[in-house]
């Protein structure tokens, strides 16, 4: 890595990872054209992204260990896989996510589109008591499923008031939880 000028900025994850994943080279150049435009070039291809200066980005919240638990990544991905088919595609109903419920001895995921219902459970050890259920957005659920499928890895899940954090060795993802009310008749 050759650094010509130090600095920091925040780039949108989705277009950046899509561009870098498809590259056939190991040499990538990254430079800023102005304060808010970052250009990435490789093998004649280029991508321009709107950048946010580091000082303006949102600071991740502190993670309270009392609201966290650990689960094998393969178990978590398996639960997502079992529920993903039933997630609603209709944003108007507020069901376009997967409800995550945590009990001291198990975790449960529930998804529905009002015609289909998927419910999957897995045992947990030493999970905190009284964690409120959260509804995870569909997009983050599908991205997590592909990112955490490593054998032998442990996923640390932290349920915060308006966000949820997922962490493995080398990767931490924060997502806002959906504020929509998931129908109680489908839960618990």
């Amino acid at each position: 890595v050759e650094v010509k000028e130090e600095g920091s900025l925040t780039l949108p994850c989705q277009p950046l990872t899509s561009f870098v994943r498809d590259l056939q080279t190991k040499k990538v150049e990254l430079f800023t054209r102005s304060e808010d435009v970052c250009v990435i070039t490789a093998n004649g291809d280029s991508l321009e992204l709107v950048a946010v200066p580091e000082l303006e980005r949102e600071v991740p919240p502190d993670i309270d260990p009392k609201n966290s638990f650990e689960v094998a990544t393969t178990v978590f991905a398996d639960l997502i896989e079992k529920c993903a088919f039933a997630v609603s595609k209709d944003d108007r109903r507020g069901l376009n996510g997967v409800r995550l419920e945590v009990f001291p001895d198990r975790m449960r995921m529930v998804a529905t589109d009002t015609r289909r219902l998927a419910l999957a459970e897995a045992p947990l050890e030493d999970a905190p008591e009284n964690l409120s259920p959260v509804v995870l957005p569909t997009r983050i659920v599908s991205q997590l499923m592909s990112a955490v499928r490593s054998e032998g890895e442990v996923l640390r899940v932290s349920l915060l008031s308006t966000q949820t954090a997922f962490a493995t060795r080398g990767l931490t993802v924060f997502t806002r939880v959906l504020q929509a009310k998931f129908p109680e008749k489908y839960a618990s």
Side-chain angles (χ1 to χ4, degrees):
V1 175
E2 178 187 336
V3 178
K4 293 184 180 178
E5 183 181 333
E6 285 190 27
S8 59
L9 47 85
T10 302
L11 298 173
C13 182
Q14 190 69 29
L16 176 63
T17 55
S18 294
F19 180 77
V20 173
R21 180 180 44 236
D22 295 336
L23 293 176
Q24 301 296 321
T25 183
K26 292 184 180 187
K27 184 177 180 184
V28 177
E29 291 184 38
L30 181 124
F31 60 93
T32 54
R33 179 171 295 153
S34 65
E35 225 176 80
D36 60 349
V37 176
C38 178
V39 180
I40 303 164
T41 61
N43 279 356
D45 293 331
S46 67
L47 174 68
E48 289 188 20
L49 296 171
V50 176
V52 178
E54 184 181 35
L55 297 175
E56 294 179 22
R57 84 180 156 149
E58 193 174 316
V59 177
D62 292 330
I63 296 175
D64 184 358
K66 293 181 216 161
N67 296 331
S68 302
F69 63 93
E70 292 183 347
V71 62
T73 56
T74 52
V75 170
F76 192 83
D78 187 50
L79 291 179
I80 291 171
E81 198 171 278
K82 289 177 178 175
C83 291
F85 77 93
V87 175
S88 177
K89 309 292 186 269
D90 184 1
D91 290 349
R92 294 173 294 170
R93 294 186 182 208
L95 301 174
N96 57 332
V98 176
R99 180 180 169 109
L100 173 63
E101 301 173 347
V102 180
F103 305 97
D105 62 340
R106 69 189 188 287
M107 68 183 287
R108 174 187 297 155
M109 288 192 187
V110 183
T112 185
D113 61 3
T114 68
R115 290 185 309 274
R116 298 175 291 190
L117 173 69
L119 185 143
E121 291 187 340
L124 275 181
E125 293 179 14
D126 303 322
E129 292 188 28
N130 303 323
L131 290 178
S132 297
V134 295
V135 179
L136 304 173
T138 305
R139 193 172 114 230
I140 196 69
V141 167
S142 62
Q143 289 173 350
L144 273 173
M145 194 168 94
S146 60
V148 303
R149 188 71 79 190
S150 302
E151 199 68 42
E153 287 275 335
V154 173
L155 180 66
R156 182 163 197 71
V157 181
S158 303
L159 304 180
L160 311 169
S161 59
T162 60
Q163 296 184 12
T164 300
F166 300 93
T168 61
R169 207 176 23 166
L171 173 70
T172 302
V173 175
F174 287 88
T175 183
R176 284 187 175 30
V177 296
L178 296 178
Q179 297 301 316
K181 182 102 167 107
F182 201 91
E184 290 299 321
K185 70 179 185 177
Y186 296 120
S188 301

